[in-house]
Amino acid sequence: MYDQPRVNPPVTAMTFDQMLERVRNEGAYPTRERAAEAVRTVLAALGRQVTGDERVDLAQCLPVEAALTLTAQIPDTEQLTGWGFIKDLAARTGATPATARWDTGAVLAVATRLAGPDLLARILRRLPGGYALLFGQVELRQPQPAA
């Protein structure tokens, strides 16, 4: 895993304060504190799902504070579907699934821009179904083999 040299990642193009402001705008949150809460809970939940090089590369794209939230989590042994992710986030935060989905959309919209299309595609290939929509992407279904 560490034996291959990595290309130097681009310098984070956004500070944590800028990220919070973008999330606040994206989610139409009334305060920066509410945006910060959404960032912490969603990135912690994502940190329990994303593993391997994708996790490391995503962390490198995020501002330091956000990266620490993502990487402080121990990945779950069983990956959740996109809907499972929302239900788990709602249960952990005491929010409704609708609020958890809203928070996820606001945070991941900003994370998507930071990660870029190539890394996002790699992340989505490693996650179960349902995550593309959470990242604001179209989810194309693979044709099932005829029985």
Side-chain angles (χ1 to χ4, degrees):
M1 180 166 148
Y2 296 104
D3 56 343
Q4 297 179 2
R6 291 188 187 271
V7 176
N8 289 338
V11 175
T12 301
M14 191 179 293
T15 67
F16 189 63
D17 286 337
Q18 290 169 327
M19 182 181 190
L20 290 181
E21 198 55 38
R22 294 247 176 115
V23 170
R24 181 178 176 196
N25 289 334
E26 197 69 45
Y29 297 119
T31 64
R32 286 176 57 99
E33 291 76 23
R34 178 64 183 93
E37 178 185 336
V39 167
R40 280 191 308 274
T41 59
V42 171
L43 290 181
L46 189 62
R48 291 188 291 274
Q49 299 300 309
V50 177
T51 60
D53 289 342
E54 289 74 20
R55 176 184 173 102
V56 172
D57 293 346
L58 178 58
Q60 289 176 339
C61 295
L62 298 172
V64 172
E65 299 88 335
L68 291 172
T69 299
L70 178 84
T71 58
Q73 304 304 309
I74 297 171
D76 287 342
T77 56
E78 184 178 327
Q79 285 188 316
L80 301 171
T81 64
W83 175 236
F85 178 88
I86 296 298
K87 290 191 309 186
D88 182 65
L89 183 60
R92 287 176 186 264
T93 61
T96 66
T99 300
R101 174 61 181 97
W102 185 270
D103 290 349
T104 299
V107 174
L108 295 186
V110 176
T112 295
R113 289 192 289 273
L114 289 170
D118 293 338
L119 176 55
L120 181 59
R122 288 177 34 222
I123 290 169
L124 292 175
R125 277 195 299 271
R126 299 269 315 243
L127 292 170
Y131 280 88
L133 294 173
L134 300 180
F135 281 94
Q137 306 294 306
V138 175
E139 183 159 8
L140 300 176
R141 300 191 73 133
Q142 296 295 324
Q144 299 297 320

